[in-house]
Amino acid sequence: MLSTMQDIPLTVTRILHHGMTIHGKSTITTWTGEPEPQRRTFAEAGTRATQLANALRDELGVQDDDRVATLMWNNAEHVEAYFAIPSMGAVLHTLNLRLPVEQLVFIVNHAADKVVLVNGSLLPLLAPLLPHLPTVEHIVVSGPGDRSVLDGATARVHEYEELIAGRPTTYDWPELDERRAAAMCYTSGTTGDPKGVVYSHRSIYLHSMQVNMTESMGLTDKDTTLVVVPQFHVNAWGLPHATFMTGISMLMPDRFLQPAPLAEMIEREQPSHAAAVPTIWQGLLAEVTAHGRDISCMKTVTIGGAACPPSLMEAYDKLGVRVVHAWGMTETSPLGSVGHPPAGLTPEEEWPYRVSQGRFPAGVEPRLVGPDGSVLPWDGTSAGELEVRGNWIAGAYYGGITGEPLVPDDKFSPDGWLRTGDVGVISPDGYLTLTDRAKDVIKSGGEWISSVELENALMAHPEVAEAAVVAVPDDKWGERPLATVVLKEGATADYQTLRTFLGESIAKWQLPERWALIPAVPKTSVGKFDKKVIRKQYADGELDVTTL
Amino acid sequence: MLSTMQDIPLTVTRILHHGMTIHGKSTITTWTGEPEPQRRTFAEAGTRATQLANALRDELGVQDDDRVATLMWNNAEHVEAYFAIPSMGAVLHTLNLRLPVEQLVFIVNHAADKVVLVNGSLLPLLAPLLPHLPTVEHIVVSGPGDRSVLDGATARVHEYEELIAGRPTTYDWPELDERRAAAMCYTSGTTGDPKGVVYSHRSIYLHSMQVNMTESMGLTDKDTTLVVVPQFHVNAWGLPHATFMTGISMLMPDRFLQPAPLAEMIEREQPSHAAAVPTIWQGLLAEVTAHGRDISCMKTVTIGGAACPPSLMEAYDKLGVRVVHAWGMTETSPLGSVGHPPAGLTPEEEWPYRVSQGRFPAGVEPRLVGPDGSVLPWDGTSAGELEVRGNWIAGAYYGGITGEPLVPDDKFSPDGWLRTGDVGVISPDGYLTLTDRAKDVIKSGGEWISSVELENALMAHPEVAEAAVVAVPDDKWGERPLATVVLKEGATADYQTLRTFLGESIAKWQLPERWALIPAVPKTSVGKFDKKVIRKQYADGELDVTTL
């Protein structure tokens, strides 16, 4: 039996129209490094987005489904692109300017971007790549920066402001299918080529509603959010779209992401919220401590992108800034879980909930899958790989313009759930605690051993500087842990001492038999333990391994 | 270009599963009149809903799309029905126990309800109707009340608790199309037969998200809401579904809707929020004033269903309870607009926004249509009929089991918008102020004159007891206002005096030429002005009309 309700597509266009009318007075403030920031209302930005759409269609020939890329910081023009491009039926492709240049070249070609909107300050990054980007027909430059590096480019070069000036302020927006592509973002996979996630109008609309639900960021049009998380990184966690839905004002740092200008814009503009990864908060904390900055205007800040050290959360608590931990990834739009503690607890009781990855909203259905493929209970101890299902969760990757969607077995289950690659436990009341990456977990006799847990326990020993634990093949158990340890200078602890120490906090069957002292743990370019290298050293017999 | 996102139906089933797991500890507390209320967690209620679905299928033979009616107060069992029935693929039909019995009989037959779940306390209402309800095969009784009135019924009679006891606590819920019927509610139309609105899983899911957005009720799992608005009235404004989405606990008054027990349950259970129509709040205010009750636990209360008198809002403000005004109707699920003022205003500046009908969320697109059918600007002065569009807005009425959907011209525009029948203005910043019902507005020479505005202005005169203004035919202008006035005892004001008084606040072209003194304004059974009667008296020449 069918309902009698209207059926209206959930589109970015609707969010744009709503934001520029009902919330027309809300503002986007962009830091410029000048005495005054740039200030623009949602009504003005929405009108300019409309002019941009007209320009893209009439001047640049952008058509349905054409990919329009952005290589931009967080600023008002980037927000305008966020609305203009999907609303006209084209696809916004945000380019991650932190990617290695080979990967940047790969994704522009893979997406076959026709246009690149670029900030002038990023031209030195883009210009050298242009000879390798044959699909790019137009470059639209916005903001300060030397244009001469584009001399000789074969693509046509436009100035953003000149391009939109005088264009019509209305657009006969198409009525789009809500399942149609609206935006895309490539993962920065450490192995293999980057993979493209293509967000739909439906997924962005529903995700925007979720961001505005009380259990997520909980902001209103009385709030201003400092959007530090880049717009080139999972749509700035959905904030530009979500803010237009409820009128939250935005403070945009553009390229001024260093602790000193961040502290200055917080003091001057008084945002009530901010969103960023832990490293930003580490840097800001040092700035606040060193120079006595006052950032107490921020009632809450959302931290995600990596696990937040509890010490960092405590430090912000003391400044009167409440840290809310969240978990997500490019494939989850990214809002996966949020660390609001349950009701009725003391601050001490809230703590383990706050440092967990948090609780799932109704739109994200989780399950833990164990080593044998079975679905595990939520008992706080059964560790499995986290799989998720929902409307703003990817079910495939972009296969390129001529190909089928990519559905790698190791990324999606046969019944369509996203395999997150994260291993953890879920408590009986639904809180997620991640313990490891699936690729680093040790699969021993049908049970999983967390390498991270062993490492943390080892590094708690006063004579251990660093420790990395990896899985190595074992005839009897399939895999067993190998502990590689860097001792502090002058340390005298032997393996048996360390193993006994480990045994105080770790179950006996999980204790490593194989041990090796190493001079330093090999690291990736971003400073993470590079366990691939250790596994290879072990396989190649390069480590001096003692078996207890 | 298609996205790579998963496509998961938005269903009530998903809300049920989420609420009973992630928010399993949240509670439904039902008032019983006994020393202790009934307390049940979401986990328990969800399990019982699952058992109910098993019973309805296995014992009562309920199949896909069968209508299962409820004639119940607000209580935990009614919440269980809210989830069991839609989740199994059947259709929940909430019966409004305040309807005239002829209309109750009409809607049960029109919906062809197969089962009626009924509270024991409501059997005296149901039993006499049963001979007229041939489609009803099963009656399921819950809660206290004399069952003997059902003696001799042809339908099979079941006890709710016995029916679900021992049933399986799991159910292989079907994967439902999100556009499928989930629930239905008939309007209590004052003219003609009641009309059925059929909510879909999609509309309920999206509406639930909206209720949980910061710009709506803004509650979290730290809150308890006192749900006074009946579950038989537009799904209790969506609260039972919305609370399962974010874990808001519910306090349910069952049949104890009188001011004294309401005050008592507030004092004892300390809800942080409540939702009800203005008459409930009037009664509670009198109780609080007379007996010094403390209801300050409620941070906010949502008032809707009828315009809330500003004096009532002020009285609650003084008690420390913030009143939030909302507008909606059965056809809008009902969340249409909410009266949160914009940012940055003083309490005095906020006031006109708070007493307005409020601001629309992104999911409800409004337009004002003027007398000539043109769409009017949002200038705060152009008055038109409010039309709305969105996923939780009806686009038709239920046509009965063999019929097509009903799409009356006077209720839906040719392009599918709902004609609300309300006339008002929208401010430049998107706030709605309703001034009249469309049927009562005076259409004079292509402009609209608000009868309510003229009445309020007239009743402000110290010698006027009551005044009703209706449209009467006019050769030159199409329609003109007729003012019927009830003077206070001993009053001496003549028509010219009243007209001059009106002219101080009303534009000259709107002033009535036709006047009549009447002994009392005719009223409907619920105490509203019955303008049909006045129009008929005028047409029949029964009024002593003076033309100035």
Side-chain angles (χ1 to χ4, degrees):
Chain A
M1 178 169 150
L2 282 175
S3 86
T4 63
M5 306 311 278
Q6 299 180 25
D7 188 3
I8 309 297
L10 306 170
T11 60
V12 172
T13 327
R14 174 72 202 126
I15 304 175
L16 166 62
H17 184 256
H18 180 75
M20 69 187 285
T21 54
I22 298 274
H23 299 295
K25 289 180 184 166
S26 296
T27 55
I28 310 169
T29 302
T30 305
W31 213 244
T32 56
E34 306 290 321
E36 270 304 301
Q38 177 210 76
R39 299 186 195 277
R40 197 167 287 166
T41 66
F42 282 14
E44 290 164 348
T47 301
R48 288 165 51 92
T50 309
Q51 293 179 301
L52 175 60
N54 277 288
L56 290 175
R57 181 186 61 189
D58 299 340
E59 185 72 23
L60 274 58
V62 170
Q63 297 182 324
D64 273 6
D65 293 339
D66 277 350
R67 268 75 61 208
V68 178
T70 57
L71 186 67
M72 300 171 82
W73 304 104
N74 289 11
N75 50 47
E77 292 75 25
H78 205 173
V79 174
E80 290 157 15
Y82 261 51
F83 286 102
I85 297 163
S87 297
M88 66 189 294
V91 181
L92 169 75
H93 177 197
T94 51
L95 300 176
N96 182 344
L97 55 91
R98 309 267 188 229
L99 286 184
V101 290
E102 317 81 60
Q103 293 198 359
L104 262 183
V105 168
F106 171 84
I107 67 175
V108 172
N109 286 318
H110 191 258
D113 295 326
K114 181 172 181 172
V115 180
V116 179
L117 273 59
V118 59
N119 278 139
S121 54
L122 292 169
L123 286 176
L125 169 61
L126 178 65
L129 309 183
L130 284 174
H132 310 288
L133 308 176
T135 64
V136 175
E137 299 172 18
H138 298 274
I139 296 167
V140 182
V141 190
S142 153
D146 178 13
R147 270 62 169 164
S148 69
V149 293
L150 290 175
D151 290 350
T154 52
R156 268 180 66 197
V157 177
H158 312 260
E159 281 292 330
Y160 186 95
E161 294 299 328
E162 292 170 15
L163 184 66
I164 69 170
R167 300 275 170 192
T169 56
T170 61
Y171 192 104
D172 189 13
W173 301 111
E175 181 103 339
L176 300 169
D177 187 306
E178 68 187 43
R179 290 176 171 80
R180 185 167 166 156
M184 63 198 303
C185 182
Y186 280 73
T187 63
S188 46
T190 46
T191 57
D193 289 326
K195 298 199 171 49
V197 176
V198 184
Y199 307 108
S200 64
H201 284 265
R202 173 179 167 99
S203 75
I204 289 175
Y205 192 101
L206 292 171
H207 186 266
S208 298
M209 291 188 82
Q210 182 64 51
V211 169
N212 284 307
M213 281 172 67
T214 52
E215 62 181 2
S216 302
M217 301 203 191
L219 306 177
T220 73
D221 65 332
K222 280 80 182 166
D223 288 295
T224 296
T225 178
L226 169 60
V227 187
V228 185
V229 57
Q231 289 189 255
F232 57 74
H233 178 65
V234 211
N235 296 327
W237 297 352
L239 282 167
H241 293 126
T243 52
F244 262 58
M245 198 173 248
T246 49
I248 304 157
S249 287
M250 281 180 274
L251 175 58
M252 294 300 208
D254 198 82
R255 62 197 180 279
F256 304 98
L257 295 168
Q258 307 74 25
L262 284 178
E264 190 187 345
M265 65 186 84
I266 292 168
E267 285 188 330
R268 281 179 52 188
E269 298 294 327
Q270 298 280 301
S272 54
H273 173 264
V277 296
T279 48
I280 293 283
W281 298 112
Q282 292 277 22
L284 184 64
L285 181 64
E287 170 73 20
V288 168
T289 309
H291 300 105
R293 301 288 207 161
D294 181 1
I295 60 168
S296 60
C297 57
M298 298 193 295
K299 292 174 299 192
T300 60
V301 297
T302 306
I303 297 194
C308 178
S311 58
L312 188 60
M313 291 177 67
E314 284 173 318
Y316 275 93
D317 273 8
K318 284 185 190 135
L319 295 172
V321 178
R322 171 98 171 183
V323 169
V324 178
H325 205 202
W327 168 83
M329 49 202 293
T330 303
E331 290 88 340
T332 65
S333 292
L335 208 153
S337 60
V338 184
H340 293 295
L345 300 184
T346 64
E348 289 69 33
E349 292 167 333
E350 284 187 342
W351 191 251
Y353 291 102
R354 290 183 57 200
V355 298
S356 80
Q357 270 68 32
R359 194 159 56 174
F360 299 90
V364 180
E365 192 176 351
R367 71 180 180 196
L368 291 176
V369 178
D372 62 354
S374 64
V375 174
L376 301 177
W378 296 5
D379 57 11
T381 59
S382 300
E385 180 173 0
L386 175 67
E387 299 189 354
V388 288
R389 181 175 186 262
N391 279 292
W392 57 82
I393 312 291
Y397 292 114
Y398 183 57
I401 49 168
T402 54
E404 290 295 300
L406 278 178
V407 192
D409 282 352
D410 64 336
K411 282 295 185 175
F412 302 97
S413 73
D415 56 347
W417 294 53
L418 172 72
R419 292 177 161 151
T420 65
D422 282 319
V423 169
V425 299
I426 299 181
S427 66
D429 49 355
Y431 283 80
L432 171 72
T433 299
L434 293 179
T435 54
D436 225 328
R437 289 291 296 167
K439 63 181 165 44
D440 293 333
V441 98
I442 298 125
K443 297 159 187 85
S444 171
E447 300 280 349
W448 281 358
I449 300 172
S450 166
S451 63
V452 174
E453 203 180 339
L454 290 174
E455 287 160 4
N456 287 342
L458 269 173
M459 288 192 281
H461 191 280
E463 294 193 325
V464 173
E466 280 185 327
V469 177
V470 300
V472 296
D474 184 275
D475 287 342
K476 183 169 175 193
W477 300 102
E479 290 181 358
R480 288 295 298 165
L482 160 70
T484 63
V485 179
V486 183
L487 289 178
K488 289 181 181 166
E489 226 175 270
T492 58
D494 62 11
Y495 297 134
Q496 194 56 60
T497 307
L498 293 176
R499 192 170 195 270
T500 305
F501 177 78
L502 261 193
E504 292 170 14
S505 57
I506 303 287
K508 191 157 179 293
W509 66 270
Q510 301 192 358
L511 299 180
E513 298 79 22
R514 297 172 181 82
W515 295 75
L517 282 181
I518 55 176
V521 175
K523 306 224 171 50
T524 67
S525 59
V526 294
K528 292 184 177 175
F529 285 3
D530 197 341
K531 298 191 179 179
K532 282 196 310 294
V533 172
I534 302 175
R535 282 191 290 262
K536 184 163 189 313
Q537 288 173 339
Y538 177 83
D540 294 349
E542 292 174 10
L543 295 178
D544 179 16
V545 175
T546 298
T547 303
L548 300 185
Chain B
M1 178 168 150
L2 282 175
S3 85
T4 63
M5 306 312 277
Q6 298 180 23
D7 188 2
I8 308 297
L10 306 171
T11 61
V12 172
T13 327
R14 175 73 200 125
I15 303 175
L16 166 63
H17 185 254
H18 179 75
M20 67 186 285
T21 53
I22 299 273
H23 298 295
K25 289 180 185 166
S26 296
T27 56
I28 310 170
T29 301
T30 304
W31 213 245
T32 56
E34 305 291 319
E36 270 304 301
Q38 178 210 75
R39 299 185 195 277
R40 198 166 287 165
T41 65
F42 282 14
E44 290 164 349
T47 301
R48 287 165 52 90
T50 308
Q51 293 179 301
L52 175 60
N54 278 288
L56 291 175
R57 182 187 60 189
D58 299 342
E59 186 72 24
L60 274 57
V62 170
Q63 298 183 320
D64 273 7
D65 291 340
D66 277 348
R67 268 75 61 209
V68 178
T70 57
L71 186 66
M72 299 173 82
W73 303 104
N74 290 11
N75 49 48
E77 292 76 24
H78 206 172
V79 174
E80 289 157 16
Y82 261 51
F83 285 103
I85 297 164
S87 297
M88 67 189 292
V91 182
L92 169 76
H93 177 196
T94 52
L95 300 176
N96 182 345
L97 55 92
R98 308 268 187 229
L99 285 184
V101 290
E102 317 82 61
Q103 292 197 0
L104 262 184
V105 168
F106 171 86
I107 67 176
V108 172
N109 286 317
H110 191 258
D113 295 327
K114 181 172 181 172
V115 180
V116 179
L117 273 57
V118 59
N119 279 139
S121 54
L122 293 169
L123 286 175
L125 169 61
L126 179 65
L129 310 183
L130 284 174
H132 310 288
L133 307 177
T135 64
V136 175
E137 299 173 19
H138 298 274
I139 296 168
V140 182
V141 190
S142 152
D146 179 11
R147 269 62 168 166
S148 69
V149 294
L150 290 176
D151 289 350
T154 51
R156 268 181 66 198
V157 177
H158 312 260
E159 280 292 330
Y160 186 96
E161 293 299 328
E162 291 171 15
L163 185 67
I164 69 170
R167 300 275 170 192
T169 55
T170 60
Y171 192 105
D172 189 13
W173 302 111
E175 180 102 340
L176 301 169
D177 186 308
E178 68 187 44
R179 289 174 171 82
R180 184 167 166 155
M184 62 197 305
C185 183
Y186 281 73
T187 63
S188 47
T190 46
T191 56
D193 290 326
K195 297 197 172 52
V197 176
V198 184
Y199 307 107
S200 63
H201 284 266
R202 174 179 168 100
S203 75
I204 289 175
Y205 192 101
L206 292 171
H207 186 266
S208 298
M209 291 187 82
Q210 182 63 53
V211 169
N212 285 306
M213 281 172 68
T214 51
E215 60 181 1
S216 301
M217 301 205 192
L219 306 177
T220 74
D221 66 331
K222 279 82 182 164
D223 288 295
T224 296
T225 178
L226 169 60
V227 187
V228 186
V229 57
Q231 288 189 255
F232 57 74
H233 178 66
V234 210
N235 296 328
W237 297 351
L239 282 166
H241 293 126
T243 53
F244 263 59
M245 198 174 248
T246 49
I248 304 158
S249 287
M250 282 179 273
L251 174 58
M252 293 302 207
D254 198 81
R255 61 198 181 279
F256 305 97
L257 295 169
Q258 306 74 25
L262 284 178
E264 191 188 344
M265 66 186 84
I266 292 167
E267 285 189 330
R268 282 180 51 188
E269 298 294 325
Q270 298 280 300
S272 54
H273 173 264
V277 295
T279 49
I280 293 282
W281 298 111
Q282 291 278 23
L284 184 63
L285 181 63
E287 170 73 18
V288 168
T289 310
H291 300 105
R293 301 286 207 162
D294 181 2
I295 59 168
S296 61
C297 57
M298 298 192 294
K299 292 174 300 193
T300 59
V301 296
T302 306
I303 297 194
C308 179
S311 59
L312 188 61
M313 292 177 66
E314 283 173 319
Y316 276 93
D317 272 9
K318 283 183 193 138
L319 296 172
V321 178
R322 171 97 171 182
V323 169
V324 179
H325 205 202
W327 168 84
M329 49 202 293
T330 304
E331 290 89 338
T332 65
S333 292
L335 209 153
S337 61
V338 183
H340 292 296
L345 301 184
T346 65
E348 289 69 34
E349 291 167 333
E350 284 187 342
W351 191 250
Y353 290 102
R354 291 184 57 201
V355 297
S356 81
Q357 270 68 32
R359 194 160 59 173
F360 299 90
V364 181
E365 191 177 352
R367 72 181 179 195
L368 291 176
V369 177
D372 62 353
S374 64
V375 173
L376 301 177
W378 295 4
D379 56 13
T381 58
S382 299
E385 180 173 1
L386 175 67
E387 298 189 356
V388 288
R389 181 176 186 261
N391 279 291
W392 58 82
I393 312 291
Y397 291 114
Y398 183 57
I401 50 168
T402 55
E404 292 293 302
L406 278 177
V407 192
D409 282 354
D410 63 337
K411 283 293 188 176
F412 302 98
S413 72
D415 55 348
W417 294 53
L418 172 71
R419 291 176 163 154
T420 65
D422 283 317
V423 169
V425 300
I426 299 179
S427 66
D429 48 357
Y431 283 81
L432 171 71
T433 299
L434 293 180
T435 53
D436 224 330
R437 290 291 295 168
K439 65 179 163 46
D440 294 331
V441 99
I442 297 124
K443 296 158 187 85
S444 171
E447 299 280 349
W448 280 358
I449 300 173
S450 165
S451 63
V452 173
E453 203 179 339
L454 289 174
E455 287 160 4
N456 287 342
L458 268 174
M459 288 192 279
H461 189 280
E463 295 194 324
V464 173
E466 281 185 325
V469 177
V470 299
V472 294
D474 184 277
D475 287 344
K476 182 167 175 193
W477 300 102
E479 289 181 358
R480 289 295 297 167
L482 160 69
T484 62
V485 178
V486 183
L487 288 180
K488 287 181 183 167
E489 225 174 271
T492 57
D494 61 9
Y495 296 135
Q496 194 56 59
T497 306
L498 293 176
R499 191 170 199 272
T500 305
F501 176 78
L502 261 194
E504 291 169 16
S505 57
I506 303 288
K508 191 156 177 294
W509 66 271
Q510 301 192 1
L511 299 181
E513 298 80 21
R514 296 171 181 82
W515 295 76
L517 281 182
I518 55 175
V521 175
K523 307 225 171 51
T524 68
S525 59
V526 295
K528 291 184 179 176
F529 285 2
D530 196 341
K531 298 191 179 179
K532 281 196 311 294
V533 172
I534 302 175
R535 282 191 290 262
K536 183 162 191 313
Q537 288 172 340
Y538 177 82
D540 294 349
E542 291 173 11
L543 295 178
D544 179 16
V545 176
T546 299
T547 303
L548 300 186

